[in-house]
Amino acid sequence: MGMLSSTVSITRYMVKGRLEEPVLETVSNSLKKYTISDIDSEASEKSIGWTSFGTPYAPDFESSSFVFSTYLVFSLRIDRKSIPPKIVNKHVSIEKERRLAQSDRNFISSGEKKIIKDQVLHSLCLRVPATPNVYDLIWSYEDNRLWFFTNLKAANEDLEDLFSQSFNLSLIRLFPYTAAELGADLTDSERDRLHSLSPAIFTG
């Protein structure tokens, strides 16, 4: 989801840890190292990486700036190939019939069935273009805050994993409980009360 969309969903994070100096050079090197790889002509089913905010389908961290004052703006891109099961079953069935006709047999072993399915998936993945999903983010590196423009669970998990791998920093998702514990100046007794809270169920 893009930050310039008419409606947006945002997940807030606190960034735990410190970047190596010089900060902007460290970020730039990491973005380049973990830039999204194109898998349209490959058999891979999924690719995850960073891309440019302005040109998400042509990543460029050399000539395109990702720095805006004290904010870093770039995007997470997740490319995935999705092949409908009915198409897979169709091509598996065709290949089974072809092999039976060539061998004069009337059965296919379970091991051979698996090999056929793997080969069909590999072949189809080479021919099917990946569907890209782009999620923008804003990182205020001076006060360790980050805003990620989606609430999708899988996208957030991919962000957290790639961010840790890229920058050697941890992301802590902020919701009311973590915001209170990390952001409020609580006394020991207030912190004990917070830890003892349990979820409440509201019914209409």
Side-chain angles (χ1 to χ4, degrees):
M1 177 177 288
M3 70 177 75
L4 300 181
S5 302
S6 57
T7 58
V8 296
S9 298
I10 300 175
T11 302
R12 296 187 304 137
Y13 285 97
M14 185 182 81
V15 183
K16 186 177 180 181
R18 285 290 176 184
L19 288 164
E20 293 183 9
E21 298 285 352
V23 169
L24 296 183
E25 182 178 332
T26 296
V27 173
S28 178
N29 291 338
S30 296
L31 291 176
K32 293 173 187 175
K33 181 177 179 179
Y34 292 96
T35 296
I36 183 79
S37 297
D38 195 301
I39 58 172
D40 279 353
S41 59
E42 299 179 7
S44 304
E45 295 183 40
K46 184 179 180 182
S47 180
I48 304 171
W50 305 119
T51 190
S52 314
F53 169 71
T55 56
Y57 306 115
D60 180 12
F61 292 112
E62 287 286 355
S63 58
S64 177
S65 178
F66 57 88
V67 182
F68 297 85
S69 183
T70 59
Y71 297 92
L72 309 179
V73 180
F74 49 97
S75 303
L76 172 72
R77 194 174 115 198
I78 303 171
D79 289 5
R80 191 188 301 273
K81 295 184 178 182
S82 179
I83 305 172
K86 289 184 178 180
I87 292 180
V88 176
N89 292 339
K90 169 189 170 182
H91 287 272
V92 167
S93 179
I94 291 172
E95 180 61 18
K96 285 180 182 177
E97 293 300 325
R98 187 187 69 79
R99 294 198 182 195
L100 287 174
Q102 288 182 343
S103 63
D104 291 326
R105 292 181 294 157
N106 57 10
F107 73 94
I108 297 286
S109 68
S110 58
E112 194 172 1
K113 287 178 183 177
K114 184 180 184 307
I115 292 174
I116 290 173
K117 186 173 183 180
D118 289 344
Q119 291 176 340
V120 165
L121 284 171
H122 183 274
S123 175
L124 290 174
C125 277
L126 287 172
R127 294 153 53 188
V128 174
T131 301
N133 289 283
V134 179
Y135 307 98
D136 298 332
L137 66 85
I138 300 174
W139 178 6
S140 177
Y141 63 91
E142 287 193 349
D143 60 5
N144 298 321
R145 300 286 171 167
L146 185 144
W147 297 265
F148 186 50
F149 285 77
T150 184
N151 289 328
L152 291 176
K153 182 174 183 290
N156 277 271
E157 290 174 348
D158 284 338
L159 168 72
E160 292 161 16
D161 290 341
L162 183 61
F163 195 88
S164 175
Q165 185 179 8
S166 302
F167 306 109
N168 198 28
L169 302 173
S170 300
L171 289 178
I172 300 174
R173 206 174 305 191
L174 294 177
F175 50 92
Y177 179 88
T178 55
E181 183 173 31
L182 299 172
D185 186 17
L186 301 177
T187 64
D188 290 342
S189 61
E190 288 172 336
R191 194 173 299 278
D192 290 340
R193 288 175 59 192
L194 178 66
H195 292 168
S196 67
L197 294 177
S198 58
I201 299 176
F202 296 91
T203 58

